[in-house]
Amino acid sequence: MFCSKCAAKIPDGSIFCPECGQKLTADNAQQVPVRQQPLYTQPPVQQTRVSAPVQPAYDPQSAPLSTGNFFWMPVLIGIPVIGFIVLLVWAFSKDTNLNRKHYARAALIWLLISLILVVIVTVAGGGFLRSLQDAIGVS
Ligand SMILES: [Zn+2]
């Protein structure tokens, strides 16, 4: 005879199916046709599998940052020494969110630009002061 639940072939007169543990009476094991149950239950399972939307795996590295994240980033960066360290960590650590990493790199470029500007202004301003000193005659 065959199991009424999983349709496994089992010895005649079994009380329980050795495959799935289904309790069997002589009646329901023989009355339910063997092939009918698998054929009936399989199509809906396949249908839900096909129609289920393919969800891309959630990747924290490429997931968009929230407004709150963007709101606090300049504040954190604005803290004098800690902000610079935070920028370096964000810009060069491997597992930082990509949005945050690119933002940190852009901020570092601005930092570099302003550093160069400060150097240029200081050098030019220093030269100007020296020429002023020469003109006045202060040594
Ligand atoms: Zn069974």
Side-chain angles (χ1 to χ4, degrees):
M1 68 184 216
F2 296 93
C3 169
S4 62
K5 193 180 173 193
C6 69
K9 194 174 182 186
I10 48 176
D12 286 343
S14 297
I15 301 164
F16 294 99
C17 168
E19 294 295 321
C20 68
Q22 169 78 3
K23 190 180 182 184
L24 306 164
T25 61
D27 284 350
N28 73 19
Q30 281 164 353
Q31 277 175 0
V32 177
V34 174
R35 284 282 164 85
Q36 213 171 27
Q37 209 166 13
L39 279 177
Y40 175 76
T41 50
Q42 266 174 0
V45 170
Q46 272 182 340
Q47 217 173 24
T48 51
R49 199 184 292 160
V50 167
S51 64
V54 181
Q55 290 274 354
Y58 175 76
D59 181 11
Q61 257 192 289
S62 58
L65 290 179
S66 67
T67 305
N69 285 131
F70 280 112
F71 181 82
W72 288 113
M73 267 198 276
V75 178
L76 202 60
I77 288 166
I79 302 170
V81 177
I82 296 162
F84 183 65
I85 295 166
V86 165
L87 267 188
L88 287 179
V89 170
W90 283 353
F92 300 112
S93 96
K94 272 188 173 176
D95 42 38
T96 305
N97 181 286
L98 284 176
N99 300 297
R100 191 177 277 129
K101 179 178 282 190
H102 296 157
Y103 179 86
R105 285 182 180 178
L108 276 178
I109 291 168
W110 270 119
L111 213 67
L112 202 68
I113 290 171
S114 52
L115 205 71
I116 290 167
L117 280 177
V118 165
V119 168
I120 289 172
V121 166
T122 306
V123 168
F128 173 74
L129 278 179
R130 209 166 299 124
S131 64
L132 203 66
Q133 283 175 341
D134 290 344
I136 299 168
V138 183
S139 56

